[in-house]
Amino acid sequence: MAIARGYAATDASKPLTPFTFERREPRDDDVVIDIKYCGVCHSDIHQARNEWGNSTFPMVPGHEIVGIISAVGSKVTKFKVGDRAGVGCFVDSCTTCATRDLDLEHYLPGLVGTYNSVEADGKTPTQGGYSDHIVVKEGYVLSIPENLPLDAAAPLLCAGITLYSPLRHWKAAPGKKVAIVGMGGLGHMGVKLAHAMGAEVTVLSQSLSKKEDGLKLGADHYYATNDPETFQALAGSFDLIICTVAAEVDWNAYLNLLKVDGDLVLVGIPENPVPVHAFSLVPARRSISGSMIGSIKETQEMLDFCSEHGIVSEIETIEMGQINQAYERVVKSDVRYRFVIDMASL
Ligand code: NAP
Ligand code: ZN
């Protein structure tokens, strides 16, 4: 066992505080990553505050992890000491079921989350990336392309793949009109990725306060959803709408912005049920769906796509000790556009 240093939530109502804990010694197929940066996802906040009702404490959050490999097990073939490595939202999955070759492991039972989860033994808690190092099976570790800066690449491991996967699945491409709802951590990655895929991109944000940024990042159009005119002007416009918002919104109003056969895909996870009127779907054969992160194979494909197109996240780097203020700012939508913790400050 090695001692790791990090920051943990010890209770849903308390701020994160310094915390030491044990990481396992690397097994044959494990790598040890010296963590350099970790992104701050809104899901970290939902879980540290038990907003999804499934939290266990103490919890070291963080699933946008990048660093340098410092040790490898004897059977590791993909990585060597010194390589640039990333870890996203899961660190193990079912490897025995018949569907394992579908690259859908993130949707199957047996998924082991990077934190707030237990290992395959059913009892050892997993702890995330707000820490100095992590030990992970090599099959769940990503290669960070050389041309991407490590700090700004960290958010690709969750925010990046969470938008890349539905954009690919619902075929964002030239000729397709795609709307991204919410210009936050996930949303701004959606703008960059959809633009790079060649789609015509519209941002639907609560106000026009981030319009200039949105257009710079690749949006073709930018509308405020606090203006009722927006919903009239854009009725029947989009092939695909990806909603990154975790709050209650008027779902029927968004569905009405879809063309015939259009899809509304939820990636943000509101606490309450999503009420939808059949008339928002039936007369235009519209669908409403959800999407969660992506497989390891697709995450590597996304990183390589970002390397080719020079895409990283817009970040504000913070010290570990600033995490509680950073959480408050994320909740107030006051982040441009992702906080990344510099782990040297730990
Ligand atoms: P974020 O940075 O806080 O962005 C959310 C954006 O939603 C805000 O920037 C804001 O954009 C908009 N918003 C906030 N409050 C709103 C309200 N009351 N009404 C309408 N819009 C509002 O959060 P994030 O890290 O991108 O995560 C977003 C959600 O996705 C969270 O629920 C998170 O748990 C979830 N998530 C899901 C997955 C997945 O696999 N499906 C992965 C990661 C995260 P504007 O200011 O532009 O309006
Ligand atoms: Zn996340």
Side-chain angles (χ1 to χ4, degrees):
M1 292 282 187
I3 298 296
R5 291 180 307 124
Y7 258 58
T10 52
D11 178 285
S13 59
K14 296 212 180 86
L16 274 63
T17 45
F19 178 68
T20 52
F21 58 104
E22 287 181 344
R23 295 277 194 202
R24 67 173 183 260
E25 287 302 322
R27 302 176 189 136
D28 288 353
D29 58 349
D30 279 338
V31 304
V32 183
I33 302 170
D34 178 11
I35 300 174
K36 299 295 183 195
Y37 299 98
C38 186
V40 177
C41 179
H42 207 129
S43 302
D44 298 346
I45 304 173
H46 290 312
Q47 291 176 88
R49 297 181 174 179
N50 198 18
E51 288 166 357
W52 293 337
N54 66 349
S55 297
T56 52
F57 299 98
M59 177 198 302
V60 178
H63 58 208
E64 293 183 338
I65 301 168
V66 291
I68 303 291
I69 305 247
S70 60
V72 298
S74 60
K75 295 204 174 111
V76 167
T77 56
K78 249 175 77 184
F79 296 98
K80 58 181 188 324
V81 170
D83 284 352
R84 294 151 52 93
V87 178
C89 297
F90 58 99
V91 289
D92 205 351
S93 62
C94 173
T95 50
T96 52
C97 61
T99 46
R100 70 175 179 274
D101 294 329
L102 295 177
D103 292 317
L104 293 174
E105 70 273 13
H106 54 302
Y107 291 124
L108 298 175
L111 194 74
V112 176
T114 302
Y115 67 86
N116 195 27
S117 183
V118 287
E119 288 182 18
D121 65 7
K123 56 179 193 219
T124 310
T126 55
Q127 299 291 12
Y130 298 1
S131 59
D132 58 1
H133 78 281
I134 190 167
V135 184
V136 183
K137 278 188 186 178
E138 70 163 333
Y140 296 86
V141 177
L142 290 309
S143 278
I144 308 295
E146 287 295 332
N147 66 328
L148 302 182
L150 272 188
D151 51 359
L156 300 179
L157 277 311
C158 174
I161 184 60
T162 298
L163 273 291
Y164 181 89
S165 185
L167 286 167
R168 280 291 191 227
H169 184 78
W170 279 276
K171 301 191 170 40
K176 289 285 177 79
K177 291 191 175 188
V178 174
I180 305 288
V181 187
M183 254 279 285
L186 266 55
H188 91 288
M189 288 311 310
V191 171
K192 290 189 178 204
L193 291 164
H195 173 71
M197 290 174 192
E200 185 177 330
V201 185
T202 299
V203 175
L204 301 174
S205 180
Q206 292 169 93
S207 73
L208 295 180
S209 65
K210 297 178 259 187
K211 179 174 179 179
E212 207 178 305
D213 289 350
L215 298 179
K216 243 188 256 162
L217 300 185
D220 300 284
H221 317 281
Y222 202 106
Y223 287 87
T225 53
N226 63 9
D227 179 356
E229 274 289 301
T230 292
F231 290 91
Q232 279 169 19
L234 298 177
S237 292
F238 300 108
D239 298 287
L240 172 63
I241 301 175
I242 301 185
C243 182
T244 73
V245 173
E248 314 304 315
V249 297
D250 181 350
W251 301 102
N252 295 297
Y254 285 92
L255 282 166
N256 202 42
L257 303 185
L258 291 169
K259 292 181 185 173
V260 172
D261 278 338
D263 295 289
L264 170 64
V265 179
L266 310 193
V267 294
I269 306 176
E271 227 169 300
N272 293 320
V274 171
V276 167
H277 203 293
F279 273 116
S280 304
L281 300 170
V282 174
R285 202 163 61 179
R286 296 171 176 135
S287 306
I288 181 164
S289 321
S291 181
M292 187 179 79
I293 47 174
S295 69
I296 291 293
K297 187 172 171 213
E298 194 174 41
T299 304
Q300 191 63 57
E301 178 189 305
M302 175 275 307
L303 287 165
D304 297 341
F305 178 88
C306 287
S307 169
E308 196 182 313
H309 293 269
I311 294 175
V312 284
S313 175
E314 302 299 305
I315 59 165
E316 186 177 333
T317 306
I318 58 165
E319 297 189 355
M320 187 70 255
Q322 295 173 298
I323 189 68
N324 295 302
Q325 296 98 296
Y327 274 19
E328 290 310 316
R329 285 185 54 198
V330 173
V331 169
K332 284 190 250 156
S333 300
D334 175 27
V335 48
R336 302 284 184 278
Y337 282 87
R338 197 61 140 184
F339 287 117
V340 171
I341 306 160
D342 179 354
M343 224 38 83
S345 66
L346 186 64

